[in-house]
Amino acid sequence: MARKCKQTVTAGFYKELHEKEEFVEKNDQCLVVSGNETDVYEVERLIDKKVKKGHVVYLVLWKGYSKEEATWVPAEDITATAIRLYHDPDPCRRVLMDDISTLRSSLQFSLKSGILRRRKISIPFHRHTFNYLFNDKGEAVKCKPGKLYVRADFPSQYFEDSFFNFYNKFGEGCCVEFPIYMYSHVSYHQKSFYCDKTPRTRGFNETLSLTIVKSFQS
């Protein structure tokens, strides 16, 4: 279902492969599911995590494959580096800056619309970008999945003060009041079926939901 990691075959490679109980490729971003070379797959990144029947599983996005082909895989079949990057990610700069730009545009549009409108925002936003920016930040909210984030939680190198305000040509403006409630989550597509009643595979979206309070500035 997923693409194999590239291998450099040397003398005795296959003999050694079948003699060992488990094969681990040098690129520890790969996933190992058995002691067979054909079962080594390349992982793009881990998307989500849950506990199923007492075991931790991760939603794996396979490199070169669609979201509909992502699968849940037990933690013991995933390399330590892949799991570390899930909890402590390092997104490429292009993805990071695009996500920040999407957030800026959404906030500016909300502020432009006035104090009472568009206070709840949902935008596409990669989870590994969110975790990179906001890991170990924010204050938990009772009975809610998200957290409250103050101005200091937003890294200044990416979020200058103008990020959180909008002014028109008359000098009238609207600003975000902190804290901001944010929740990064995975939303799954609705279940659907083929004409023979077999279920289709489900894709997903990585979403950032925000609730903001705005104030008028003049």
Side-chain angles (χ1 to χ4, degrees):
M1 184 173 179
R3 188 175 61 184
K4 294 185 292 183
C5 297
K6 294 180 180 179
Q7 302 288 341
T8 300
V9 180
T10 58
F13 175 84
Y14 290 108
K15 181 176 183 297
E16 180 182 6
L17 179 66
H18 291 290
E19 285 178 349
K20 289 188 175 180
E21 181 179 349
E22 183 176 279
F23 173 75
V24 180
E25 209 261 339
K26 287 184 179 179
N27 177 5
D28 58 2
Q29 284 286 91
C30 294
L31 170 70
V32 179
V33 294
S34 78
N36 191 316
E37 187 267 343
T38 60
D39 288 335
V40 180
Y41 302 111
E42 192 171 359
V43 173
E44 182 171 322
R45 59 190 173 91
L46 307 183
I47 303 297
D48 203 2
K49 173 184 176 181
K50 67 180 181 181
V51 177
K52 183 177 181 180
K53 296 181 179 180
H55 298 281
V56 175
V57 293
Y58 289 89
L59 181 61
V60 178
L61 180 62
W62 305 103
K63 190 170 184 179
Y65 287 80
S66 69
K67 292 180 178 180
E68 285 74 20
E69 295 176 281
T71 53
W72 290 96
V73 177
E76 56 267 26
D77 291 335
I78 303 174
T79 62
T81 298
I83 293 176
R84 177 182 61 78
L85 288 173
Y86 173 80
H87 294 283
D88 187 20
D90 185 19
C92 72
R93 185 166 180 81
R94 179 74 275 156
V95 171
L96 175 65
M97 300 312 295
D98 283 351
D99 282 339
I100 291 173
S101 179
T102 299
L103 178 56
R104 175 194 287 273
S105 297
S106 298
L107 279 178
Q108 290 293 305
F109 186 70
S110 173
L111 292 170
K112 184 180 179 180
S113 68
I115 293 178
L116 298 179
R117 298 182 62 192
R118 300 186 184 279
R119 290 180 293 181
K120 293 186 177 182
I121 303 169
S122 290
I123 58 174
F125 202 91
H126 292 93
R127 297 197 77 198
H128 64 310
T129 298
F130 183 85
N131 291 336
Y132 172 78
L133 293 169
F134 300 107
N135 252 356
D136 302 321
K137 296 179 181 178
E139 180 181 345
V141 181
K142 188 176 181 180
C143 299
K144 288 191 175 183
K147 292 183 178 182
L148 291 172
Y149 296 85
V150 299
R151 175 65 181 91
D153 292 329
F154 291 80
S156 58
Q157 66 267 39
Y158 303 118
F159 301 95
E160 66 276 13
D161 289 339
S162 62
F163 203 99
F164 304 101
N165 56 60
F166 174 85
Y167 290 89
N168 62 23
K169 63 181 180 180
F170 304 108
E172 300 169 334
C174 192
C175 300
V176 173
E177 291 288 330
F178 290 93
I180 297 176
Y181 176 81
M182 296 195 297
Y183 171 43
S184 174
H185 57 102
V186 176
S187 55
Y188 297 93
H189 298 171
Q190 186 175 4
K191 287 183 178 180
S192 61
F193 299 85
Y194 293 103
C195 59
D196 62 357
K197 300 182 181 181
T198 58
R200 293 175 182 265
T201 54
R202 298 172 67 187
F204 61 87
N205 294 317
E206 297 169 84
T207 303
L208 176 61
S209 298
L210 306 89
T211 302
I212 61 175
V213 175
K214 298 180 278 188
S215 64
F216 178 74
Q217 301 288 327
S218 59

